[in-house]
PDB file of all heavy atoms in Angstrom:
ATOM      1  N   THR A 240      67.476  96.258  87.815  1.00 98.00           N
ATOM      2  CA  THR A 240      66.675  96.994  88.782  1.00 98.00           C
ATOM      3  C   THR A 240      67.189  96.723  90.192  1.00 98.00           C
ATOM      4  O   THR A 240      67.811  95.691  90.460  1.00 98.00           O
ATOM      5  CB  THR A 240      65.191  96.589  88.707  1.00 98.00           C
ATOM      6  OG1 THR A 240      65.067  95.208  89.087  1.00 98.00           O
ATOM      7  CG2 THR A 240      64.645  96.788  87.298  1.00 98.00           C
ATOM      8  N   ARG A 241      66.902  97.664  91.097  1.00 98.00           N
ATOM      9  CA  ARG A 241      67.345  97.481  92.471  1.00 98.00           C
ATOM     10  C   ARG A 241      66.622  96.299  93.119  1.00 98.00           C
ATOM     11  O   ARG A 241      67.216  95.547  93.893  1.00 98.00           O
ATOM     12  CB  ARG A 241      67.116  98.746  93.288  1.00 98.00           C
ATOM     13  CG  ARG A 241      67.964  98.746  94.548  1.00 98.00           C
ATOM     14  CD  ARG A 241      67.738  99.871  95.517  1.00 98.00           C
ATOM     15  NE  ARG A 241      67.146 101.069  95.018  1.00 98.00           N
ATOM     16  CZ  ARG A 241      66.696 102.044  95.812  1.00 98.00           C
ATOM     17  NH1 ARG A 241      66.773 101.909  97.132  1.00 98.00           N
ATOM     18  NH2 ARG A 241      66.158 103.137  95.322  1.00 98.00           N
ATOM     19  N   SER A 242      65.352  96.121  92.792  1.00 98.00           N
ATOM     20  CA  SER A 242      64.614  94.987  93.354  1.00 98.00           C
ATOM     21  C   SER A 242      65.185  93.671  92.842  1.00 98.00           C
ATOM     22  O   SER A 242      65.327  92.700  93.596  1.00 98.00           O
ATOM     23  CB  SER A 242      63.133  95.096  93.022  1.00 98.00           C
ATOM     24  OG  SER A 242      62.921  95.098  91.609  1.00 98.00           O
ATOM     25  N   GLY A 243      65.537  93.628  91.554  1.00 98.00           N
ATOM     26  CA  GLY A 243      66.148  92.415  91.000  1.00 98.00           C
ATOM     27  C   GLY A 243      67.497  92.145  91.621  1.00 98.00           C
ATOM     28  O   GLY A 243      67.848  90.984  91.914  1.00 98.00           O
ATOM     29  N   LEU A 244      68.271  93.201  91.831  1.00 98.00           N
ATOM     30  CA  LEU A 244      69.588  93.053  92.446  1.00 98.00           C
ATOM     31  C   LEU A 244      69.464  92.522  93.865  1.00 98.00           C
ATOM     32  O   LEU A 244      70.241  91.666  94.293  1.00 98.00           O
ATOM     33  CB  LEU A 244      70.316  94.399  92.443  1.00 98.00           C
ATOM     34  CG  LEU A 244      71.650  94.461  93.181  1.00 98.00           C
ATOM     35  CD1 LEU A 244      72.643  93.471  92.610  1.00 98.00           C
ATOM     36  CD2 LEU A 244      72.213  95.882  93.126  1.00 98.00           C
ATOM     37  N   ARG A 245      68.497  93.017  94.614  1.00 98.00           N
ATOM     38  CA  ARG A 245      68.310  92.537  95.982  1.00 98.00           C
ATOM     39  C   ARG A 245      67.971  91.054  96.005  1.00 98.00           C
ATOM     40  O   ARG A 245      68.413  90.323  96.905  1.00 98.00           O
ATOM     41  CB  ARG A 245      67.210  93.354  96.660  1.00 98.00           C
ATOM     42  CG  ARG A 245      67.657  94.739  97.100  1.00 98.00           C
ATOM     43  CD  ARG A 245      66.488  95.548  97.624  1.00 98.00           C
ATOM     44  NE  ARG A 245      66.930  96.812  98.205  1.00 98.00           N
ATOM     45  CZ  ARG A 245      66.116  97.806  98.514  1.00 98.00           C
ATOM     46  NH1 ARG A 245      64.812  97.690  98.281  1.00 98.00           N
ATOM     47  NH2 ARG A 245      66.596  98.921  99.037  1.00 98.00           N
ATOM     48  N   GLN A 246      67.192  90.605  95.041  1.00 98.00           N
ATOM     49  CA  GLN A 246      66.871  89.180  94.968  1.00 98.00           C
ATOM     50  C   GLN A 246      68.134  88.366  94.682  1.00 98.00           C
ATOM     51  O   GLN A 246      68.364  87.310  95.293  1.00 98.00           O
ATOM     52  CB  GLN A 246      65.820  88.932  93.887  1.00 98.00           C
ATOM     53  CG  GLN A 246      64.449  89.485  94.224  1.00 98.00           C
ATOM     54  CD  GLN A 246      63.447  89.281  93.104  1.00 98.00           C
ATOM     55  OE1 GLN A 246      63.711  88.570  92.141  1.00 98.00           O
ATOM     56  NE2 GLN A 246      62.287  89.911  93.220  1.00 98.00           N
ATOM     57  N   VAL A 247      68.948  88.854  93.756  1.00 98.00           N
ATOM     58  CA  VAL A 247      70.204  88.163  93.433  1.00 98.00           C
ATOM     59  C   VAL A 247      71.107  88.120  94.662  1.00 98.00           C
ATOM     60  O   VAL A 247      71.657  87.071  95.013  1.00 98.00           O
ATOM     61  CB  VAL A 247      70.922  88.863  92.261  1.00 98.00           C
ATOM     62  CG1 VAL A 247      72.330  88.290  92.079  1.00 98.00           C
ATOM     63  CG2 VAL A 247      70.118  88.723  90.977  1.00 98.00           C
ATOM     64  N   LEU A 248      71.257  89.258  95.320  1.00 98.00           N
ATOM     65  CA  LEU A 248      72.101  89.321  96.516  1.00 98.00           C
ATOM     66  C   LEU A 248      71.571  88.398  97.605  1.00 98.00           C
ATOM     67  O   LEU A 248      72.345  87.743  98.310  1.00 98.00           O
ATOM     68  CB  LEU A 248      72.156  90.766  97.023  1.00 98.00           C
ATOM     69  CG  LEU A 248      72.996  91.052  98.268  1.00 98.00           C
ATOM     70  CD1 LEU A 248      74.429  90.572  98.094  1.00 98.00           C
ATOM     71  CD2 LEU A 248      72.960  92.544  98.596  1.00 98.00           C
ATOM     72  N   GLY A 249      70.241  88.299  97.692  1.00 97.00           N
ATOM     73  CA  GLY A 249      69.634  87.469  98.721  1.00 97.00           C
ATOM     74  C   GLY A 249      69.953  86.002  98.595  1.00 97.00           C
ATOM     75  O   GLY A 249      70.049  85.289  99.607  1.00 97.00           O
ATOM     76  N   PHE A 250      70.134  85.514  97.338  1.00 96.00           N
ATOM     77  CA  PHE A 250      70.439  84.083  97.219  1.00 96.00           C
ATOM     78  C   PHE A 250      71.923  83.785  97.042  1.00 96.00           C
ATOM     79  O   PHE A 250      72.401  82.754  97.504  1.00 96.00           O
ATOM     80  CB  PHE A 250      69.600  83.404  96.123  1.00 96.00           C
ATOM     81  CG  PHE A 250      69.967  83.707  94.704  1.00 96.00           C
ATOM     82  CD1 PHE A 250      71.032  83.060  94.083  1.00 96.00           C
ATOM     83  CD2 PHE A 250      69.214  84.595  93.952  1.00 96.00           C
ATOM     84  CE1 PHE A 250      71.350  83.303  92.754  1.00 96.00           C
ATOM     85  CE2 PHE A 250      69.527  84.851  92.626  1.00 96.00           C
ATOM     86  CZ  PHE A 250      70.593  84.217  92.035  1.00 96.00           C
ATOM     87  N   ILE A 251      72.713  84.687  96.407  1.00 97.00           N
ATOM     88  CA  ILE A 251      74.133  84.359  96.229  1.00 97.00           C
ATOM     89  C   ILE A 251      74.902  84.450  97.544  1.00 97.00           C
ATOM     90  O   ILE A 251      75.949  83.812  97.688  1.00 97.00           O
ATOM     91  CB  ILE A 251      74.814  85.236  95.159  1.00 97.00           C
ATOM     92  CG1 ILE A 251      74.870  86.702  95.595  1.00 97.00           C
ATOM     93  CG2 ILE A 251      74.120  85.078  93.820  1.00 97.00           C
ATOM     94  CD1 ILE A 251      75.717  87.569  94.654  1.00 97.00           C
ATOM     95  N   ARG A 252      74.377  85.206  98.525  1.00 96.00           N
ATOM     96  CA  ARG A 252      75.091  85.312  99.796  1.00 96.00           C
ATOM     97  C   ARG A 252      75.073  83.994 100.565  1.00 96.00           C
ATOM     98  O   ARG A 252      75.852  83.810 101.494  1.00 96.00           O
ATOM     99  CB  ARG A 252      74.490  86.428 100.645  1.00 96.00           C
ATOM    100  CG  ARG A 252      73.078  86.193 101.104  1.00 96.00           C
ATOM    101  CD  ARG A 252      72.505  87.408 101.815  1.00 96.00           C
ATOM    102  NE  ARG A 252      73.281  87.755 102.995  1.00 96.00           N
ATOM    103  CZ  ARG A 252      73.150  88.909 103.656  1.00 96.00           C
ATOM    104  NH1 ARG A 252      72.300  89.817 103.221  1.00 96.00           N
ATOM    105  NH2 ARG A 252      73.869  89.133 104.740  1.00 96.00           N
TER     106      ARG A 252
END
Side-chain angles (χ1 to χ4, degrees):
T240 64
R241 199 186 338 169
S242 60
L244 174 59
R245 283 174 173 167
Q246 291 177 10
V247 171
L248 180 55
F250 73 80
I251 66 172
R252 66 186 300 167

